[in-house]
Amino acid sequence: MITIPNDAQKIAVEDATVDFVFFKNEGTTFYAFDTSGCEPPEPMVNAMAGLRLIDGPDKRLIMINHKMPMGLFNKIGEDFDIQSRTREDGLAEAIFSFKGSVDLNDPRYSAACHG
């Protein structure tokens, strides 16, 4: 898995409720956010906001959460590759990458919470 460097740069992400950072590693741009201290629906809201950044094969999104977001995995698994693990500190980490042609404007990828 990828380690988020201390000098990762903070960026503004539309509809996000937590900080996002980005960094580059070996030609790939990584975006990352941490919702491990958040209550639902914030992890899903921020993941959906962050997924809109992943618009090509050279970009990845790293999510740190208090548990594996299985509902999110089920919702987006057809369109994104997902690598996940439980870290040594007990937090869940997922890395999302683009599978191919997905319409990121599809209502499924809205950051709004419906329910």
Side-chain angles (χ1 to χ4, degrees), residues 5 11 14 20 37 53 55 60-62 71 74 81 90-91 96-97:
I11 60 166
E14 185 177 352
F20 275 70
L53 301 170
D55 57 4
R60 306 278 186 278
L61 178 67
I62 301 172
N74 292 334
D81 285 319
L91 295 177
F96 304 93
S97 58

Side-chain angles (χ1 to χ4, degrees), residues 3-4 8 14 17 30 32 41 44 61 80 86 88 91 93 114:
T3 301
I4 301 169
E14 185 177 352
T17 63
F30 289 87
M44 177 77 82
L61 178 67
F80 292 88
T86 300
E88 288 182 19
L91 295 177
E93 177 181 276
H114 301 288

Side-chain angles (χ1 to χ4, degrees), residues 86-103:
T86 300
R87 300 176 354 159
E88 288 182 19
D89 60 7
L91 295 177
E93 177 181 276
I95 299 178
F96 304 93
S97 58
F98 195 66
K99 274 189 180 178
S101 60
V102 61
D103 178 5

Side-chain angles (χ1 to χ4, degrees), residues 40-108:
E42 280 190 87
M44 177 77 82
V45 167
N46 286 284
M48 299 311 278
L51 286 170
R52 288 181 286 179
L53 301 170
I54 309 305
D55 57 4
D58 60 340
K59 296 181 181 175
R60 306 278 186 278
L61 178 67
I62 301 172
M63 175 185 196
I64 309 298
N65 200 33
H66 63 285
K67 66 178 186 170
M68 289 298 170
M70 299 312 294
L72 174 65
F73 291 176
N74 292 334
K75 183 174 183 172
I76 67 163
E78 292 181 21
D79 297 323
F80 292 88
D81 285 319
I82 305 164
Q83 296 177 333
S84 62
R85 72 177 180 120
T86 300
R87 300 176 354 159
E88 288 182 19
D89 60 7
L91 295 177
E93 177 181 276
I95 299 178
F96 304 93
S97 58
F98 195 66
K99 274 189 180 178
S101 60
V102 61
D103 178 5
L104 295 172
N105 293 313
D106 184 304
R108 290 179 303 149

